[in-house]
Amino acid sequence: TLLSAVFPGSVCYYDLRAHPGVRGCVALTLDDAPCSRSDERLAMVKEVGEVLREFGAKATFFVCTDYVPVHERALRELLREGHEVANHCPADRSYAEDSEEAFEAALL
């Protein structure tokens, strides 16, 4: 796949053989999209959108909000195409050491 070719180990899958009762639905989420790449050509948002469009698939993009302004045009296009965009937090880092108030402020 496109993502696993660029980031080996980034693709997780649900084994239908192990869970035969689940059919007809796949939840595709993209974590850290568009990641910390400030260059649109490296972020791959457009390319991922093209692959999703090719297969008629929808996805949820969990974005690092610190990087939304750089990718606003691409994210708006994903929303227009019916994908979801959700808050990952400002940056891809551990918030474990933050106080509850600091974490809440970062999330909101």
Side-chain angles (χ1 to χ4, degrees):
T1 67
L2 175 66
L3 289 176
S4 63
V6 176
F7 303 109
S10 65
V11 177
C12 299
Y13 66 94
Y14 188 80
D15 187 349
L16 287 175
R17 293 170 299 193
H19 306 280
V22 178
R23 296 262 184 242
C25 182
V26 174
L28 178 62
T29 64
L30 299 164
D31 192 28
D32 300 342
C35 70
S36 60
R37 308 277 178 133
S38 58
D39 185 332
E40 288 183 10
R41 296 168 299 164
L42 299 175
M44 297 179 56
V45 176
K46 181 179 176 183
E47 291 81 1
V48 171
E50 289 171 359
V51 170
L52 294 170
R53 195 175 314 107
E54 178 182 342
F55 290 96
K58 301 297 180 210
T60 301
F61 291 77
F62 287 92
V63 300
C64 296
T65 56
D66 283 352
Y67 309 112
V68 167
V70 174
H71 304 286
E72 186 173 349
R73 181 176 57 231
L75 293 170
R76 286 185 184 276
E77 183 62 28
L78 292 171
L79 287 168
R80 278 192 287 278
E81 292 179 1
H83 302 287
E84 294 180 312
V85 175
N87 185 358
H88 178 283
C89 280
D92 187 26
R93 69 170 184 83
S94 173
Y95 290 86
E97 300 298 320
D98 289 14
S99 68
E100 187 173 329
E101 293 79 17
F103 176 72
E104 185 176 310
L107 187 60
L108 299 177

